Amino acid sequence: MPGTRSSARIAANGSSPNSSQEKGSSAKANVGSKRKADAEASPESKRGKKEQKTLEETMQGVDAEKSSEQPEEVQMASDGEGGDDQPANFKDEQPAENEEDEKHNEDNHDGHTKEDDKSESKTNTAENTNNAIEHSPEREKMMPSSILEKGIIYFFTRGRVGIDEPESVQDIARSYFVLRPLPTDAKLGDGTIEDLKNNRLCALPKKVLPKSGRDRFMTFIEKANVTIQDLKDNFMQGSDYSTQTAGTRHAPPVTPVGEGVYAITTTGRESHLAYLLTIPSEPGEVQEEMGIRSKGSFVLSVKNPSTSGPANASLPQGPDYPKEIMEEFRGLRWTPAAPKFLDYANAQFLLIGESDVSKALEPSTKDEKHGKEKPEEEMEALEGEDELRVKHLSGDDTIFDDLGISQKEYPGVQTTWSEGASPGVPVLLRTPENQQNGSPKKATMEPNVLNVVLGKLLIKPWYPSFYPEELVGRRTERLYVCQYCFKYSKELMPWLAHTKVCKNKQTPPPGDLIYHKNEYSIHEVDGEEYKLYTQNLSLFAKLFLETKSVFYDVTTFLYYLLIHTDPNTNEGQVIGFFSKEKLSWDNNNLACIIIFPPWQRRGLGQILMGISYELSKREGRLGGPEKPLSELGLKSYILYWSGAIARYLLNVPAKKSISVRTVSEETYMQPEDVVMALKDMKVLDPGKKVDAGMTVNKARLRQWVEANRASAVNPVDPQDFVTREEDDDEG
């Protein structure tokens, strides 16, 4: 496909780029440079704290079973939101109940019609009310048969809660793209795109687009055949709203990050989604990290909704396909995607990355015989028309015109992350237990809670809190937190009164006991069942975690509490925890981990990591922490991975050759984690390929074990897991 854009050629000829004179070699010979918008960039929109939307709360995962017609891996991630009841004497000190928040949020979305929006929309479109869609019988006649659908594509993101400015992909809660199909005979003139009421909203839980053939990301149709107004009302908008206890909350609007043209094509055995980017005029680091290129394509396969998948990897409701569409699956798990498969909400399809667009836009022999346009020529023509349309309209701000939204209420097209971030290296997992001298090397901001009291302990926070400012103030000398339920107060007397009557004082911590060994035990707590508890726990943990961003959105998470029981008093204290998503399309077995400062540097983090992998083993799937890891988080995990690998390899016969996959399957660690650990351990004989067969020098392995004081004993004994029957008996 031509590597340059067609706008200069179009402008020079003053005609549609699909004319017969421009076929063949002229489509490649006449080249131009990419548009640089003449209009000045619009002022940057104000942004509030970012909060993740919870539209994926009812969403489950995908069928990841291997078959000849099914790709090997699918990935996704999601968050949720929650609240709970609380005692009257402490009720004004806690996060709000989620049900009221969500209702308020939905009400704001449904009734959000500000006069500023109306006036801004009029300003944006008053002079550009012409419909850009023109009909050309000649265009339809020359349309290649391999293009099943063409149209306009938009890319959006939505930020996480508690983040004012996104600094990386990890600050994004969810990514989306919208497909606006155009008629087959359509070409684009000046003006805005008419709403044909056939729009599709596609949710990309992985947050980024596939970048290579190794990336296979499940996506789903959230809305099909809807109007732009519906998308504005129920998808794009953000809102600010107040609650009695959590203060002002901000549900951020979506952020546009790209616009262009697309085509769904077929090569006979495969379907593809190809696109050419028009906006932004110059893609930036945001587009690069998200996998949005100047031109890109993906293999497109639709999942058969009748095929079963893992219990934690399926949508609660599939697409309402008619009988004739279901018959086209012919019993297969996957089928090449035709546009009609995507016209149903809850349809699931897989995007598989491609290195270039040549295969997606490969012309058919039949079309070449009949002298039809090549797919690449039709795409270049449509993009060239879109490029001129955008230039004549509002430059990169044309997105606002097309969607009829106000630039005052939505961020501009984002191309760079907030200043101070390191592109491609977002901090995600913070493991304070391995930090020197019990404190972080560098805090991003000064704590606004100077001291926190947890029971009888006085602890210095490391990072700013996200406790509601209305309740604890902008700067608090001392915050009192209940050691039993993690409710909080800035006043001593209410806190003392509460701790005497806290319902958790005389009962075990919430959730189900799943593990017990000596003085330590693990309780599994469902964030949906114990909303307030897990919200307060998360707020407390944020005092010692740099980038934790889920405080109120807890319903889609499980929390695993590490509890130390004092043998003298028989009183239990939560001393750390890790959380994991109920549904992770990446098979992540851990999202966030922390050991509270007074109990750090005792190797307790290894217990939590071991529990996460034992849970993966019991679920029958490989697992690992959410990535990318922070520098300290990576060190902690390499130590755990290396110890697990060493314990396994030291029991393998000396001359037996094993593969990375074998080690992975025996330890339930991801293959890339195994490779990373082996390289860090420096125990491989040189000249051997790690990804094929590998030779481990056992002498070096033993040296590593001695140098790192690695224990030959697993930090988690599977025999110490508690079955539900045992748990019931103890209760």
Side-chain angles (χ1 to χ4, degrees):
M1 179 171 180
T4 54
R5 312 297 282 271
S6 57
S7 57
R9 168 173 58 81
I10 299 168
N13 293 345
S15 61
S16 173
N18 76 318
S19 61
S20 58
Q21 289 83 0
E22 294 170 352
K23 291 181 55 181
S25 60
S26 63
K28 298 182 180 181
N30 297 301
V31 298
S33 58
K34 184 164 178 68
R35 169 186 55 84
K36 295 184 181 292
D38 295 330
E40 294 182 1
S42 61
E44 186 175 349
S45 300
K46 295 182 180 179
R47 297 176 183 237
K49 291 183 178 179
K50 299 294 185 180
E51 176 183 53
Q52 180 175 0
K53 297 293 286 185
T54 58
L55 50 89
E56 70 275 18
E57 283 184 344
T58 60
M59 177 175 59
Q60 302 297 321
V62 300
D63 185 353
E65 297 178 12
K66 299 177 182 178
S67 68
S68 58
E69 66 271 8
Q70 179 183 6
E72 289 186 1
E73 300 177 7
V74 290
Q75 307 179 5
M76 167 179 178
S78 63
D79 294 324
E81 187 172 16
D84 206 350
D85 296 329
Q86 49 192 300
N89 65 333
F90 236 48
K91 73 175 184 177
D92 288 337
E93 305 294 337
Q94 313 307 328
E97 292 195 19
N98 180 60
E99 288 81 0
E100 295 180 3
D101 286 357
E102 286 187 344
K103 185 177 186 303
H104 194 129
N105 192 9
E106 290 172 2
D107 289 345
N108 270 338
H109 282 314
D110 292 339
H112 186 72
T113 56
K114 295 184 177 180
E115 292 302 320
D116 288 345
D117 286 354
K118 295 178 181 178
S119 61
E120 180 68 20
S121 296
K122 290 179 181 179
T123 301
N124 288 344
T125 59
E127 298 178 0
N128 302 292
T129 56
N130 294 332
N131 174 23
I133 301 175
E134 301 175 1
H135 298 277
S136 169
E138 179 63 22
R139 185 70 160 264
E140 184 174 23
K141 179 180 178 181
M142 299 302 296
M143 178 67 64
S145 61
S146 58
I147 293 183
L148 305 178
E149 178 180 286
K150 66 180 183 180
I152 304 295
I153 186 170
Y154 303 93
F155 299 95
F156 299 96
T157 64
R158 193 187 299 278
R160 285 183 178 271
V161 62
I163 298 177
D164 292 329
E165 297 289 342
E167 296 183 353
S168 71
V169 169
Q170 294 303 322
D171 289 345
I172 294 172
R174 179 75 66 223
S175 298
Y176 308 85
F177 58 90
V178 171
L179 301 179
R180 297 185 71 174
L182 296 174
T184 304
D185 64 350
K187 64 178 183 178
L188 298 178
D190 286 345
T192 57
I193 302 298
E194 178 186 1
D195 185 6
L196 301 179
K197 303 179 182 180
N198 59 350
N199 307 286
R200 307 186 192 100
L201 173 61
C202 307
L204 185 67
K206 182 60 180 172
K207 305 177 188 178
V208 298
L209 291 165
K211 299 179 182 179
S212 69
R214 297 181 60 183
D215 295 336
R216 305 175 178 211
F217 300 160
M218 184 62 80
T219 310
F220 70 96
I221 301 294
E222 186 165 313
K223 293 178 178 291
N225 292 316
V226 296
T227 64
I228 292 298
Q229 186 64 45
D230 183 280
L231 293 178
K232 288 167 58 178
D233 293 342
N234 301 302
F235 164 61
M236 299 180 193
Q237 289 191 45
S239 64
D240 292 297
Y241 58 98
S242 298
T243 63
Q244 180 181 1
T245 55
T248 301
R249 303 281 302 277
H250 180 71
V254 296
T255 298
V257 292
E259 183 268 2
V261 301
Y262 78 91
I264 297 176
T265 67
T266 178
T267 57
R269 299 186 62 180
E270 291 180 336
S271 292
H272 301 260
L273 173 63
Y275 69 89
L276 299 181
L277 197 66
T278 304
I279 298 174
S281 54
E282 293 295 337
E285 62 181 358
V286 170
Q287 286 72 32
E288 180 180 356
E289 283 196 51
M290 293 189 61
I292 301 174
R293 303 168 176 169
S294 294
K295 53 185 176 181
S297 66
F298 319 97
V299 176
L300 196 62
S301 297
V302 177
K303 184 179 181 297
N304 185 341
S306 67
T307 57
S308 60
N312 65 337
S314 59
L315 286 172
Q317 180 178 352
D320 189 19
Y321 285 147
K323 180 180 178 181
E324 55 269 23
I325 288 185
M326 289 299 300
E327 289 176 348
E328 294 193 28
F329 284 100
R330 295 179 289 117
L332 300 176
R333 293 181 182 274
W334 303 88
T335 191
K340 60 185 176 183
F341 287 97
L342 308 181
D343 286 334
Y344 296 85
N346 298 324
Q348 293 176 271
F349 59 96
L350 199 64
L351 295 178
I352 304 176
E354 295 184 295
S355 57
D356 59 58
V357 300
S358 58
K359 190 172 183 181
L361 300 180
E362 182 179 329
S364 69
T365 303
K366 182 179 178 180
D367 285 345
E368 288 182 323
K369 285 183 178 179
H370 289 81
K372 290 194 173 185
E373 290 275 8
K374 295 180 180 179
E376 63 181 10
E377 293 171 348
E378 172 60 27
M379 285 286 289
E380 284 282 351
L382 191 63
E383 195 281 328
E385 294 163 356
D386 191 44
E387 193 171 342
L388 285 179
R389 182 185 74 88
V390 165
K391 182 177 181 180
H392 295 162
L393 201 55
S394 304
D396 285 1
D397 292 337
T398 297
I399 289 180
F400 298 99
D401 297 332
D402 279 349
L403 301 177
I405 58 179
S406 167
Q407 297 181 40
K408 292 182 179 179
E409 299 297 325
Y410 293 85
V413 177
Q414 187 177 6
T415 58
T416 59
W417 301 118
S418 294
E419 188 175 353
S422 298
V425 194
V427 178
L428 176 63
L429 184 67
R430 188 60 56 182
T431 52
E433 61 178 305
N434 289 328
Q435 295 174 354
Q436 298 298 320
N437 302 321
S439 62
K441 294 181 180 179
K442 182 180 179 181
T444 55
M445 294 174 59
E446 288 297 321
N448 53 353
V449 174
L450 304 184
N451 298 278
V452 60
V453 176
L454 181 69
K456 298 179 180 179
L457 300 174
L458 181 66
I459 311 171
K460 290 281 187 181
W462 297 347
Y463 298 103
S465 80
F466 276 81
Y467 288 107
E469 188 176 293
E470 295 85 343
L471 302 179
V472 303
R474 292 187 177 182
R475 184 176 176 86
T476 303
E477 180 66 31
R478 185 166 293 188
L479 183 69
Y480 300 91
V481 177
C482 176
Q483 69 266 41
Y484 309 113
C485 66
F486 291 91
K487 292 179 179 178
Y488 53 91
S489 174
K490 65 178 179 179
E491 302 294 339
L492 174 61
M493 297 311 295
W495 173 74
L496 287 173
H498 166 79
T499 55
K500 290 180 180 180
V501 299
C502 179
K503 63 181 181 180
N504 287 15
K505 184 176 182 179
Q506 303 300 330
T507 61
D512 299 322
L513 174 68
I514 66 168
Y515 181 84
H516 183 268
K517 183 175 183 179
N518 301 327
E519 301 173 5
Y520 298 100
S521 58
I522 300 287
H523 277 225
E524 180 185 77
V525 179
D526 189 329
E528 184 171 12
E529 184 176 357
Y530 296 95
K531 296 175 184 176
L532 185 61
Y533 182 91
T534 51
Q535 285 175 339
N536 287 329
L537 179 69
S538 299
L539 285 169
F540 179 76
K542 177 62 184 77
L543 298 174
F544 313 103
L545 292 171
E546 185 176 9
T547 60
K548 181 171 178 56
S549 59
V550 178
F551 316 115
Y552 301 102
D553 306 337
V554 296
T555 58
T556 59
F557 283 84
L558 295 173
Y559 292 77
Y560 294 86
L561 312 182
L562 177 60
I563 301 161
H564 176 257
T565 302
D566 189 324
N568 298 318
T569 64
N570 202 35
E571 190 172 275
Q573 174 64 56
V574 176
I575 61 176
F577 71 91
F578 76 86
S579 61
K580 64 175 286 189
E581 296 164 313
K582 296 176 183 177
L583 164 68
S584 172
W585 288 19
D586 293 320
N587 282 341
N588 293 329
N589 60 21
L590 186 147
C592 174
I593 183 173
I594 184 173
I595 300 294
F596 299 144
W599 295 275
Q600 291 177 7
R601 302 183 64 78
R602 303 182 189 181
L604 299 177
Q606 298 287 301
I607 295 178
L608 292 179
M609 294 178 192
I611 292 291
S612 71
Y613 278 100
E614 182 62 26
L615 292 173
S616 291
K617 180 178 180 180
R618 290 164 182 254
E619 293 168 359
R621 54 178 179 165
L622 306 182
E626 189 174 339
K627 296 173 183 175
L629 298 169
S630 69
E631 181 181 354
L632 293 172
L634 181 59
K635 288 181 179 179
S636 297
Y637 260 97
I638 285 183
L639 180 62
Y640 175 83
W641 293 331
S642 300
I645 292 171
R647 286 189 290 272
Y648 169 69
L649 291 180
L650 286 175
N651 292 312
V652 173
K655 294 185 179 180
K656 183 178 179 180
S657 178
I658 58 175
S659 67
V660 169
R661 181 164 293 278
T662 299
V663 177
S664 173
E665 291 172 350
E666 292 294 329
T667 60
Y668 285 85
M669 300 188 313
Q670 297 286 4
E672 58 267 28
D673 297 337
V674 174
V675 172
M676 185 182 301
L678 286 170
K679 290 181 177 179
D680 185 81
M681 296 167 74
K682 298 180 173 60
V683 297
L684 295 174
D685 279 338
K688 299 293 183 180
K689 292 184 177 179
V690 177
D691 58 351
M694 62 182 179
T695 301
V696 174
N697 187 310
K698 285 202 170 182
R700 292 182 191 169
L701 184 61
R702 293 189 179 94
Q703 290 174 3
W704 181 91
V705 170
E706 293 177 4
N708 291 273
R709 299 179 182 179
S711 174
V713 180
N714 191 329
V716 172
D717 188 345
Q719 300 300 320
D720 291 321
F721 269 77
V722 178
T723 64
R724 285 299 170 89
E725 290 77 10
E726 292 175 314
D727 194 10
D728 293 340
D729 291 341
E730 291 181 10

